[in-house]
Each structure stands twice: as structure tokens, then as C-alpha cells.
Amino acid sequence: MKKNIKNLAFIMAASLLPLVYISGCNKLSYDKADEDKIIEYAVNAVLNHDRNYIVKLAERETEPATEPTTVWISDDNKEDNNGGASNGNSGNSGNSTGKPQPNIVSANEGFGLSGFTVTEAGYEVADRYPEGNDGFSMVALNKNKLLVLKFVVTNNSGSQAALDMMGKNLSYRCLINEKTGVNVQVTALLNGLNTYKGTFEAGESKEMVLVFQVNEEVSANINNISLYVAKDSKTSVIAIKK
């Protein structure tokens, strides 16, 4: 699926470039950063208008690896099939499986990136991200808002280091007000933490994000946010502060 989307993005990007000539320019001049932006715009254009893709993504990530005591709610605020809600701070109450509950940890411990430090840097609710006039943005679906969780990732080594987040096979879900759970969105954002693959210079820090589509009524009354980061049978919870 990702390969098909990327191929489509390159086709769209290729169709955009000739427009520079049509507009009257005598010379086409763009660097790697411009090329990345064109591809990012094209892929996000596909994702933002493909509702079926978003639905499939939600179906594929319906449950965290470790069951929290709070029921997960889908994006349209309907109960998941496993049902049974209880207070997220009630320990193992309501957890009939007897599985250990995930611990609340720092962002650095939750992501566990060797050689890198991850610091939680708040969140924002927006209609599009990032805001700007260049057009390269992710746009919220109808009756939704984008919930953007922010992190600062720093290379602690004394040399250039590679970071491949897609290869780490982590899954992410966001729990809002201890009852509404939503899946992370797959984007082509250059600073998307869940899809990032690139390099950091020695000591370099970058702001990176996880983006979620949230019902606009839920987004208007956010009291607390918990990010569930899971890999295999281990799940960690990171408390997100404004």
C-alpha cells in the first residue's frame, strides 16, 4: 500500500513540475528540499482524500498490544467490539484478561531510542498542519480536527547518526480524557515521528510530530492526553502536557 501511494506521489510530483515551464519560467531550478516538499504534498493530497485508506488504517490498528482498563473508542465515537469501560486509573479493575497494565513513563523511556533523547513538547489542535502559505499541509477531515503531539528528538552521539522509525515497528494510539482512543495517521510529513527515516548531525535536535484525526467535539474539551506506544507485548504510556 505504501509503495503504491509513493508511486502515485511521484506521478503527481512529475505532473506538477512542468507547470513551472507553463507559467513562463525559462529555467527550472529546485534542490532536494524542494523535491521532498513536492513529494510530501502529493502523498498527503492522496491520503487526505482517500477516506477508505483511513478506515483501513483504523481497522488494522484496532487494539493496543496491552489492553488498558479504559475502553477504546473509534474515531466516530462508537465502542470497540471488546466493550467494557472503566476508569483508566482503577488499576486492574475491569481487566478480565489479567494482563499487566502499561506504566506511565517519560517520552524518552517510552520511545527507547538508543543514542537519542526524546522530550515531550506539548500538543496543538488545528485544521491543518503545518500552517503556512506553501500548501504543503495535512488537512483535517470533515467534522474533525488534527491533534498534533510534539516531541524534540536529539542525537546524543558525537557523530552523525541514522534514525529509522518505520523500521522499529512501533504502534501508537492516543487516549483523550481517559475514554476516546484514536489511531495515529500515516503521513508524508518530513517531521512525522512514526514515519521518519533520515539522519541527524552530532548533537542536532529536531521537532517531530504524531498526528491524529479527532472528532471536533472531543478536541474542544481536552482535559488530558495519554500516548500509548507499543511494540510486541510491551506497552508504555506517555502523559502529554499542553
Side-chain angles (χ1 to χ4, degrees), residues 59-234:
E59 291 174 350
R60 188 171 65 249
E61 298 183 359
T62 54
E63 292 299 327
T66 303
E67 297 178 10
T69 55
T70 303
V71 65
W72 285 105
I73 308 297
S74 60
D75 292 347
D76 58 356
N77 291 334
K78 296 179 181 179
E79 266 194 21
D80 285 346
N81 292 332
N82 62 333
S86 62
N87 190 304
N89 297 320
S90 60
N92 289 328
S93 176
N95 182 13
S96 60
T97 64
K99 294 181 180 179
Q101 297 306 299
N103 298 319
I104 296 178
V105 299
S106 67
N108 193 51
E109 185 178 349
F111 285 95
L113 305 181
S114 178
F116 292 84
T117 297
V118 182
T119 305
E120 185 268 323
Y123 69 90
E124 69 173 272
V125 176
D127 292 313
R128 72 166 54 227
Y129 178 85
E131 294 185 355
N133 298 321
D134 59 5
F136 301 106
S137 300
M138 182 177 180
V139 181
L141 297 172
N142 184 39
K143 296 183 179 180
N144 280 260
K145 295 285 187 180
L146 297 181
L147 175 62
V148 184
L149 307 188
K150 300 179 179 181
F151 304 87
V152 175
V153 181
T154 302
N155 174 13
N156 293 323
S157 71
S159 60
Q160 187 183 80
L163 179 62
D164 179 8
M165 293 301 294
M166 293 189 69
K168 293 187 180 300
N169 297 317
L170 298 173
S171 62
Y172 312 89
R173 291 202 75 180
C174 184
L175 184 64
I176 304 170
N177 298 337
E178 300 183 355
K179 66 178 182 179
T180 303
V182 289
N183 296 319
V184 71
Q185 295 290 291
V186 175
T187 78
L189 295 173
L190 299 180
N191 65 331
L193 183 54
N194 55 325
T195 56
Y196 182 82
K197 184 177 182 179
T199 58
F200 283 65
E201 296 302 322
E204 182 180 9
S205 295
K206 296 181 182 182
E207 182 179 87
M208 313 202 79
V209 299
L210 295 174
V211 182
F212 301 82
Q213 295 274 359
V214 180
N215 179 280
E216 59 187 1
E217 293 182 4
V218 174
S219 68
N221 298 282
I222 296 178
N223 296 317
N224 57 74
I225 297 174
S226 297
L227 174 65
Y228 283 68
V229 181
K231 181 175 182 179
D232 301 325
S233 61
K234 178 182 178 181

Side-chain angles (χ1 to χ4, degrees), residues 32-53:
K32 182 63 167 57
D34 294 325
E35 180 180 307
D36 288 342
K37 282 189 175 182
I38 292 172
I39 294 173
E40 176 183 346
Y41 170 76
V43 175
N44 278 318
V46 174
L47 294 180
N48 286 334
H49 292 86
D50 189 350
R51 178 63 183 174
N52 289 331
Y53 176 76

